[in-house]
Amino acid sequence: MAPSLATSSTLALFLLVAVSIADAATFTITNRCQYTVWPAAVPSGGGTKLDPGQTWTINVPAGTTGGRVWARTGCGFDGSGNGQCQTGDCGGKLRCTAYGAAPNTLAEFALNQWNNLDFFDISLIDGFNVPMAFLPAAGSGAGCPKGGPRCATAITPQCPSELRAPGGCNNACTVFRQDRYCCTGSAANSCGPTNYSEFFKRLCPDAYSYPKDDASSTYTCTAGTNYQVVFCP
């Protein structure tokens, strides 16, 4: 007997979902801090709460661009997922659909891009709130020539007074809104390191410290790699 149209459609949908899952990258997000964080991930994942030692796993579709993972701190949410965070807040929602507010340490990524590579980094362009490592998952790093970036230093206690924020340390662009710090306007094509970006770079040499800091801060892996994001590595 020939399969019914409904059965054929169900099988096709199952195969499509199976292929989509197979193509997705698995991100394992772990809180090794001695305090609770509320990690967020966009465009896939949303957000959750992680007590010390807990892990959150998300699947990110192949071809995702503009991806970010970050920790939020000092949060309080009601039963409907509405509330506020001291750092990294995304419009008062537990499950983020938008980027978080500075200051926040960012894991950034674009999957399955040029030459079938993933591009990823840690960025301090939005400032710092929680130490972070962004690494290929164990057994998944053969196609990652530089491994992955780490920013394990607690920057907030060392933050210059003019950049300090509750729970974190702002980048100079956030505070001063000047072209030379933001690499915009008159400095769009000519900006370089400043005393403030060099402060961040000295403490976290793997991370982006200003927008043109590509040479030492961009990492690649072969598409299909899985990743781990660790807070307080």
Side-chain angles (χ1 to χ4, degrees), residues 28-117:
T28 302
I29 301 162
T30 302
N31 180 19
R32 291 186 185 163
C33 302
Q34 297 302 307
Y35 48 87
T36 299
V37 299
W38 287 259
V42 296
S44 298
T48 192
K49 176 183 177 181
L50 285 184
D51 289 323
Q54 290 186 324
T55 293
W56 178 40
T57 300
I58 61 174
N59 291 315
V60 180
T64 293
T65 59
R68 289 185 178 184
V69 177
W70 70 98
R72 294 169 290 171
T73 61
C75 301
F77 295 101
D78 63 22
S80 299
N82 297 311
Q84 192 171 14
C85 298
Q86 184 181 54
T87 66
D89 190 73
C90 62
K93 301 295 183 182
L94 172 61
R95 301 187 182 278
C96 295
T97 58
Y99 292 158
N104 55 342
T105 315
L106 297 175
E108 302 179 313
F109 58 90
L111 304 182
N112 305 77
Q113 301 299 301
W114 177 81
N115 210 23
N116 202 34
L117 292 173

Side-chain angles (χ1 to χ4, degrees), residues 101-184:
N104 55 342
T105 315
L106 297 175
E108 302 179 313
F109 58 90
L111 304 182
N112 305 77
Q113 301 299 301
W114 177 81
N115 210 23
N116 202 34
L117 292 173
D118 297 343
F119 293 82
F120 64 108
D121 63 77
I122 289 177
S123 175
L124 302 179
I125 293 174
D126 277 3
F128 173 94
N129 66 337
V130 174
M132 175 190 288
F134 187 9
L135 308 170
S140 186
C144 309
K146 292 168 55 179
R150 299 173 182 266
C151 179
T153 302
I155 292 178
T156 301
Q158 306 177 58
C159 186
S161 59
E162 60 270 33
L163 301 184
R164 289 177 187 164
C169 184
N170 276 314
N171 189 282
C173 175
T174 302
V175 175
F176 302 115
R177 297 294 183 186
Q178 295 179 12
D179 289 348
R180 60 175 172 155
Y181 298 126
C182 302
C183 296
T184 54

